[in-house]
Amino acid sequence: MAKGIGVQGSGGLTRQRDAVLRVIRGSGEHLTACEIYEQARQLLPSISYATVYNSLKFLTNEGLVHEVKFGKGASRYDRETERHDHAICNACGKLVDFDLDLSEELKRQAARRSHFKPESIQLTLRGLCPDCRPGK
Amino acid sequence: MAKGIGVQGSGGLTRQRDAVLRVIRGSGEHLTACEIYEQARQLLPSISYATVYNSLKFLTNEGLVHEVKFGKGASRYDRETERHDHAICNACGKLVDFDLDLSEELKRQAARRSHFKPESIQLTLRGLCPDCRPGK
DNA sequence: GGGTGATTTAGAATTATTCTAATTCCAGGT
DNA sequence: ACCTGGAATTAGAATAATTCTAAATCACCC
């Protein structure tokens, strides 16, 4: 049998990793490591900054969370791990997830042009978010 | 009339900004600020690291280069400023530019789903680059 | 209760980027 | 040519983001 993996009540995650995962799942936003650390400390006051980073790396590798880099500053983490698309506001920098049905044909076309063996495709829209649109 | 803008021979760019721009345009790769600094010093030995950062910010704002964040580590800069698409290798992390004719209909669809006022859309393909494909 | 390997911890170290204050540079006016 | 003012550059310090290190702890197995 596999060696111990920490706590088993939480789906095989240690308390620390579980706390980090919970924070991410509990937020609609895309949080930075720093924000996650602050919130995780409320669930588990003894957790350290390094553990937050370790956990984020672990959870990302396991496919339980998703890392996103955009705009200014630190990486952010997303609870959404299914394929999805991104909209980024050119005015305020906000990132919003949404979902489009991108065709297989589009994927094949991208593969042909790039000479890559395709795994997934994702669309990014840049524009103005509802809060930044003029006239509203 | 506008006040002095440095040197005029180089299309209105100062020697430093021009050197940074030349380095980026002279490379097929997507360079980091650090790599750009090293190469720019060969064109202009007195240039400082801070000036490279300042110039990158300036050139990015002017739309003369493009900043790209992906994978591990520092931001990278791209000479390609026209709309284009990205392919990222899941094995080695390489990023390749390519170009697809994305329809207006797709853009409208993305705008509808995200509730953003669209400006541009871009596709990102993840997969395996030619060097990392098995069986080749 | 002890052994084992993975995990956590605190803090140091490293890397990436921005800031600061002093200096230099250039275009324009005299 | 000289002066002037604002913008750009410089070196280095400061800050932010992330990774590393070594020791302590933990959960599971015997």
Side-chain angles (χ1 to χ4, degrees):
Chain A
M1 277 275 128
K3 286 297 165 55
I5 1 153
V7 170
Q8 75 286 63
S10 329
L13 294 175
T14 62
R15 273 173 307 140
Q16 290 81 348
R17 289 170 179 174
D18 185 57
V20 168
L21 182 55
R22 256 187 242 215
V23 167
I24 294 168
R25 291 202 168 145
S27 166
E29 306 285 304
H30 298 85
L31 304 174
T32 62
C34 179
E35 291 162 345
I36 292 166
Y37 170 58
E38 279 164 12
Q39 294 190 34
R41 264 206 303 192
Q42 278 157 236
L43 301 178
L44 198 59
S46 70
I47 198 170
S48 84
Y49 216 114
T51 298
V52 170
Y53 270 101
N54 289 340
S55 299
L56 288 170
K57 185 166 292 181
F58 175 85
L59 295 169
T60 301
N61 286 339
E62 295 293 302
L64 294 168
V65 303
H66 202 244
E67 183 182 3
V68 179
K69 305 178 92 151
F70 72 100
K72 311 261 97 193
S75 283
R76 291 173 177 273
Y77 292 85
D78 191 345
R79 61 182 170 184
E80 183 59 67
T81 59
E82 304 287 309
R83 199 216 72 76
H84 65 278
D85 305 291
H86 285 154
I88 298 176
C89 180
N90 285 332
C92 71
K94 180 162 60 186
L95 179 138
V96 168
D97 292 341
F98 68 102
D99 191 36
L100 231 44
D101 248 326
L102 299 175
S103 69
E104 279 300 309
E105 171 51 24
L106 190 59
K107 192 202 276 191
R108 276 195 298 274
Q109 208 177 5
R112 221 179 304 126
R113 293 278 171 89
S114 63
H115 311 295
F116 273 46
K117 177 169 186 302
E119 286 175 13
S120 68
I121 55 176
Q122 176 185 54
L123 193 129
T124 302
L125 177 146
R126 272 160 218 282
L128 295 176
C129 75
D131 296 339
C132 295
R133 304 175 73 136
K136 205 328 358 243
Chain B
M1 278 276 132
K3 283 300 165 57
I5 0 154
V7 169
Q8 74 285 66
S10 328
L13 294 175
T14 62
R15 275 170 308 139
Q16 289 83 348
R17 290 171 180 175
D18 185 55
V20 168
L21 182 55
R22 258 187 239 213
V23 167
I24 293 168
R25 290 202 168 144
S27 166
E29 307 284 305
H30 298 85
L31 304 174
T32 62
C34 181
E35 291 161 347
I36 293 165
Y37 171 58
E38 279 163 14
Q39 294 191 32
R41 265 206 302 193
Q42 278 156 235
L43 301 178
L44 200 58
S46 70
I47 198 171
S48 84
Y49 215 114
T51 299
V52 170
Y53 269 101
N54 289 340
S55 299
L56 288 171
K57 186 167 291 182
F58 175 85
L59 295 169
T60 301
N61 286 338
E62 295 293 302
L64 294 167
V65 303
H66 202 242
E67 183 182 4
V68 181
K69 304 178 94 150
F70 71 102
K72 310 260 95 190
S75 284
R76 291 172 177 275
Y77 292 85
D78 191 346
R79 61 182 169 184
E80 183 58 67
T81 59
E82 304 288 308
R83 199 216 72 77
H84 65 277
D85 304 291
H86 285 154
I88 298 177
C89 180
N90 284 332
C92 72
K94 181 163 59 186
L95 179 137
V96 169
D97 291 342
F98 68 101
D99 192 35
L100 231 44
D101 247 327
L102 299 176
S103 69
E104 279 300 311
E105 170 52 23
L106 191 58
K107 192 202 275 191
R108 275 195 299 274
Q109 208 176 6
R112 221 177 305 126
R113 292 280 170 88
S114 63
H115 310 295
F116 273 46
K117 178 169 185 301
E119 286 174 13
S120 68
I121 56 175
Q122 176 185 53
L123 193 128
T124 302
L125 176 144
R126 273 160 217 280
L128 295 175
C129 75
D131 296 339
C132 294
R133 303 173 75 134
K136 214 284 114 160

